[in-house]
Amino acid sequence: IVAVDGFYEESKQVLEKYGFIVKDSLTKDVTILLNESGIASSKTKKAEELGIKIFNNLKHIIEDKKWHYQNGQTKELNN
């Protein structure tokens, strides 16, 4: 489950296309935060405190998911 820092409707649509569940806020289910601006917002700081994986590039999230699937590590991907 991915949370998006900031309003990036296009990014949300792409993530959903690749099978991710996208949320606007951090919840206990979120495993990835997308912060394309790279600015350390309060959401980004909270994600760091919670140990949530942070990506600054949408393409890297998709590549990471593909790598996990190719290597049989789908249990780590909670969408």
Side-chain angles (χ1 to χ4, degrees):
I1 297 176
V2 179
V4 177
D5 193 356
F7 186 77
Y8 300 99
E9 190 60 38
E10 189 173 305
S11 297
K12 290 178 187 180
Q13 291 173 355
V14 171
L15 288 165
E16 289 170 347
K17 178 183 172 186
Y18 278 91
F20 288 94
I21 297 169
V22 182
K23 296 189 174 186
D24 291 322
S25 59
L26 293 177
T27 65
K28 65 179 181 174
D29 299 334
V30 172
T31 57
I32 297 171
L33 175 70
L34 174 61
N35 177 354
E36 291 183 294
S37 71
I39 297 170
S41 68
S42 59
K43 188 183 281 187
T44 301
K45 290 175 185 176
K46 183 177 179 183
E48 289 172 346
E49 291 170 7
L50 296 172
I52 293 172
K53 199 171 193 178
I54 301 170
F55 287 88
N56 293 328
N57 187 308
L58 175 62
K59 183 178 177 182
H60 294 158
I61 294 175
I62 295 165
E63 290 171 353
D64 188 63
K65 182 174 184 173
K66 287 180 181 178
W67 183 89
H68 279 87
Y69 275 114
Q70 291 171 351
N71 291 285
Q73 297 180 9
T74 56
K75 289 181 182 178
E76 292 181 18
L77 296 175
N78 217 8
N79 272 358

